[in-house]
Amino acid sequence: MDQDTAAAMGRRPARDRLLDTADELFSRDGIARTSVDQVLHHAHVAPGTLYAHFGGKDGLIAAALHRRLDRWEQVWQEAVDAAGTPAEKLLALFDAVADYRDRYTPGRGCAFLATGTELPDLDHPVRAVIEAESTLLVTRLNQLAETVTTEDPAALAGNVLLVYDGAMAGLQRGRTPDPLGHGKMLARCLIQNAIETEQVRVCRAGL
């Protein structure tokens, strides 16, 4: 870290520096491989400050993931609001991931799934954040799918979510050139199929 970067970090509140550092190191190296000492060193913060704000490493993990969820929800909503049609609003999920990765720490895939894998204990404070992210995905996708088709929108939302999960896994593997773009293309096909299926049903009902 150069002097200018260190000086800029020093001007930011200690709590923000801890969250920024935790987000970066946990996403890059994993939670288990990142020690409290590493976080403190990179954030230029004393141990007492971390424990005063978060109570320890577990609290810091939960707080960093919660901030990521808040940011993700906002970026996704912005992408939905910017889309012009119901179908594009449903597809905005993939654009939102790309936008989030440009704005914030990208991570190796889905930070929520990765954290859940590293911390499987159901009593860990981070579990509530992971469940909240899953609820957000399911709820918003269902709401958006209902504006696209009345022909089993829950099934359409579930299929789009499955494609999304695959795209996020593709980001983690790093072997597909553009997993988000490919995922969006597949989701578009699913949406178009749902729309055409509903149109056929409506036409038959009108005969």
Side-chain angles (χ1 to χ4, degrees), residues 35-207:
S35 68
V36 170
D37 286 343
Q38 287 174 299
V39 173
L40 294 173
H41 173 73
H42 283 80
H44 300 279
V45 171
T49 302
L50 185 152
Y51 289 99
H53 282 291
F54 305 108
K57 185 178 180 180
D58 285 349
L60 176 61
I61 297 167
L65 200 65
H66 195 285
R67 188 182 66 164
R68 179 177 279 259
L69 177 59
D70 288 342
R71 287 175 168 178
W72 162 237
E73 184 173 5
Q74 179 181 349
V75 170
W76 185 10
Q77 186 60 56
E78 290 172 359
V80 170
D81 292 341
T85 66
E88 291 300 324
K89 289 181 182 295
L90 184 52
L91 289 169
L93 173 65
F94 299 92
D95 298 322
V97 175
D99 190 12
Y100 186 96
R101 291 171 65 82
D102 286 340
R103 291 196 210 182
Y104 304 112
T105 304
R108 295 167 294 173
C110 177
F112 302 95
L113 293 178
T115 301
T117 300
E118 283 209 63
L119 302 172
D121 185 356
L122 296 179
D123 294 326
H124 194 283
V126 82
R127 298 304 303 186
V129 189
I130 296 171
E131 289 298 324
E133 189 265 348
S134 295
T135 299
L136 172 65
L137 276 171
V138 172
T139 301
R140 183 173 287 178
L141 286 177
N142 272 282
Q143 290 171 344
L144 293 171
E146 288 171 359
T147 69
V148 172
T149 179
T150 59
E151 191 78 19
D152 201 355
L156 175 59
N159 288 335
V160 171
L161 178 56
L162 189 62
V163 172
Y164 167 78
D165 286 339
M168 297 305 289
L171 287 174
Q172 187 164 5
R173 288 182 185 276
R175 294 180 179 273
T176 304
D178 183 16
L180 290 175
H182 191 59
K184 184 178 181 179
M185 179 186 67
L186 292 175
R188 189 186 298 278
C189 292
L190 291 170
I191 293 170
Q192 186 60 38
N193 181 68
I195 292 173
E196 291 174 356
T197 299
E198 181 173 3
Q199 289 173 342
V200 169
R201 178 180 62 80
V202 171
C203 288
R204 288 177 176 174
L207 294 178

Side-chain angles (χ1 to χ4, degrees), residues 1-58:
M1 180 182 298
D2 58 37
Q3 292 183 348
D4 290 340
T5 302
M9 287 192 67
R11 290 192 294 269
R12 303 191 68 235
R15 187 179 192 277
D16 291 342
R17 298 203 306 273
L18 285 166
L19 289 172
D20 290 342
T21 301
D23 196 32
E24 177 183 353
L25 297 183
F26 293 158
S27 297
R28 187 189 70 192
D29 302 331
I31 293 171
R33 293 180 58 192
T34 302
S35 68
V36 170
D37 286 343
Q38 287 174 299
V39 173
L40 294 173
H41 173 73
H42 283 80
H44 300 279
V45 171
T49 302
L50 185 152
Y51 289 99
H53 282 291
F54 305 108
K57 185 178 180 180
D58 285 349

